[in-house]
Amino acid sequence: QVQLVESGGGLVQPGGSLRLSCVASGSAFSSLFMAWYRQAPGKQRERVADITRDGRANYVESVKGRFTISRDNAKNTMYLQMNSLKGEDTAVYYCNARYQYFDWGQGTQVTVSS
C-alpha cells in the first residue's frame, strides 16, 4: 500500500503561483501512472493532470498552459506547478494513482482570492 502526502497549498491572489508536492511512501512510485485531482466545495472530485511513469503528461482543458505536472522518481515525489491561478482553481488538491486508487490523503487546500 502506498501512502500519499500532499503539501504546498495556501492562499494566493488571482494571477499568482503555487507549487504543490506529493510524496509517496514505498518503492512502487516510479512504476505508477500518477495524477493530481481537486475537489471544490459542493463539487465532485476531478482529475486535473496526470503523468506516466516516464513523464508524459496530460491536462484537463481548464488548466492547460497554466499548470505543469512533473515527477522525480528518485525522490518518490510528484509536483504540480500552478501559474496564473484563478478563483475557480480554489479547491482541495489531492494526488493519487491515475487508476486503481490508493487511500486518499488529506489533500492540500488552495485558495485563490484577492
Side-chain angles (χ1 to χ4, degrees):
Q1 179 73 338
V2 172
Q3 292 185 320
L4 303 162
V5 179
E6 303 92 346
S7 63
L11 172 64
V12 63
Q13 292 186 341
S17 298
L18 284 173
R19 188 194 196 201
L20 307 184
S21 297
C22 166
V23 178
S25 65
S27 58
F29 177 79
S30 61
S31 66
L32 296 173
F33 187 5
M34 294 293 294
W36 281 100
Y37 303 82
R38 67 185 179 188
Q39 187 167 19
K43 295 187 177 180
Q44 288 190 332
R45 186 175 291 157
E46 65 168 345
R47 179 179 55 83
V48 174
D50 56 53
I51 186 166
T52 64
R53 58 185 179 181
D54 57 354
R56 286 171 290 154
N58 288 290
Y59 304 89
V60 295
E61 195 64 35
S62 60
V63 307
K64 280 183 179 178
R66 301 189 298 121
F67 290 11
T68 302
I69 189 172
S70 62
R71 65 191 297 164
D72 184 338
N73 289 337
K75 296 182 178 180
N76 275 18
T77 303
M78 180 174 66
Y79 304 98
L80 186 68
Q81 177 67 43
M82 305 187 296
N83 299 328
S84 302
L85 282 161
K86 304 176 181 180
E88 51 262 46
D89 296 318
T90 294
V92 179
Y93 284 70
Y94 303 87
C95 61
N96 212 317
R98 178 64 176 91
Y99 305 105
Q100 295 180 316
Y101 303 141
F102 300 107
D103 289 343
W104 293 91
Q106 292 188 327
T108 186
Q109 176 71 48
V110 172
T111 303
V112 184
S113 176
S114 55

